């Protein structure tokens, strides 16, 4: 036990640095993914058939292909076509996670918007608001409360899925653990510590998200 504690204390600072990268790309992914996802979700419920079909196509492609493939396309395939374009691993990871999250958040947004009683839109229009004003001031604020629980789940899932960025040499938590293993050959100890840190991250995020949901009355 003393040997394990000594080993853990030696390498824990490096793993925590990797965990910080994991949190950073997950936060960036959920922020930009939420913005893009809301826009795509609004496109899905739009009366414009072209906009609706484009949004549907985006969701179909992204949800129907693996995140790992999307990551490789963004980091390796696109720069190979555009030789002047070089994306650092961190940027590629953030773009891939944002786009992937957007497809799922778009469906969350669509479901939340469509769950609002149609009378709300009619009442807003009768007060003289335009369709866009009614959506922005009346529908979306109500829908956002209903989006929070699944958005929280998506954020937690994104933290775990971010481990895939280790395949493009980004030193996140998992990649850092793999590098330590390559020099120490202590597989069990490192994977235990990596798993424990992931568990702590998701537990803390679940607690924070739960508090936010209660504060805004997401289940009311």
């Amino acid at each position: 036990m003393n040997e394990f504690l000594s080993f853990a204390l030696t390498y824990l600072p490096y793993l925590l640095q990797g965990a910080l990268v994991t949190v950073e790309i997950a936060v960036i992914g959920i922020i930009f993914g939420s913005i893009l996802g809301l826009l795509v979700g609004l496109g899905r419920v739009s009366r414009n058939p072209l906009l609706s079909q484009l949004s549907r196509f985006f969701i179909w492609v992204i949800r129907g292909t693996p995140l790992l493939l999307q990551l490789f396309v963004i980091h390796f395939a696109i720069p190979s076509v555009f030789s002047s374009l070089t994306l650092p691993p961190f940027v590629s990871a953030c773009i891939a996670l944002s786009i992937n999250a957007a497809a799922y958040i778009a469906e969350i947004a669509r479901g939340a918007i469509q769950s609002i009683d149609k009378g709300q839109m009619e009442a807003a229009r009768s007060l003289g608001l335009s369709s866009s004003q009614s959506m922005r001031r009346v529908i979306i604020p109500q829908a956002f409360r209903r989006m929070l629980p699944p958005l929280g789940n998506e954020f937690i899932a994104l933290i775990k899925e971010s481990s895939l960025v280790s395949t493009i040499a980004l030193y996140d938590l998992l990649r850092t653990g793999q590098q330590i293993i390559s020099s120490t050959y202590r597989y069990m100890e490192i994977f235990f510590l990596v798993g424990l840190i992931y568990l702590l991250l998701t537990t803390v995020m679940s607690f924070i998200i739960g508090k936010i949901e209660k504060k805004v009355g997401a289940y009311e």
Side-chain angles (χ1 to χ4, degrees), residues 182-216:
S182 68
S183 61
T184 64
Y185 300 99
R186 304 282 289 269
Y187 290 87
M188 182 61 71
E189 294 92 334
I190 293 300
F191 283 142
F192 174 80
L193 291 172
V194 168
L196 183 61
I197 293 173
Y198 273 117
L199 183 60
L200 288 173
L201 287 176
T202 55
T203 301
V204 170
M205 291 304 169
S206 296
F207 177 79
I208 294 173
I209 291 166
K211 289 293 185 181
I212 295 173
E213 291 172 0
K214 289 181 180 179
K215 188 174 183 63
V216 301

Side-chain angles (χ1 to χ4, degrees), residues 113-127:
I113 291 170
Q114 291 181 336
S115 72
I116 304 300
D117 191 282
K118 293 182 179 179
Q120 296 281 338
M121 176 64 79
E122 295 171 358
R125 294 300 304 276
S126 68
L127 293 174

Side-chain angles (χ1 to χ4, degrees), residues 4 8 30 57 62 81 83-84 121 157 161 177 190 193 202 219:
F4 171 74
I30 201 68
F57 179 76
I62 300 302
V81 175
S83 56
S84 61
M121 176 64 79
E161 291 171 355
I190 293 300
L193 291 172
T202 55
Y219 294 100

Side-chain angles (χ1 to χ4, degrees), residues 94-164:
C94 291
I95 293 173
L97 289 178
S98 297
I99 291 174
N100 186 267
Y104 291 91
I105 293 172
E107 284 295 273
I108 293 171
R110 178 193 61 79
I113 291 170
Q114 291 181 336
S115 72
I116 304 300
D117 191 282
K118 293 182 179 179
Q120 296 281 338
M121 176 64 79
E122 295 171 358
R125 294 300 304 276
S126 68
L127 293 174
L129 297 177
S130 65
S131 295
S132 60
Q133 289 174 328
S134 300
M135 183 65 71
R136 187 172 65 254
R137 298 181 182 180
V138 178
I139 304 300
I140 291 179
Q142 296 181 70
F144 180 74
R145 293 170 63 187
R146 302 184 181 185
M147 288 170 58
L148 271 178
L151 273 178
N153 291 335
E154 178 62 24
F155 183 44
I156 291 169
L158 208 61
I159 291 175
K160 295 181 290 184
E161 291 171 355
S162 68
S163 61
L164 293 174

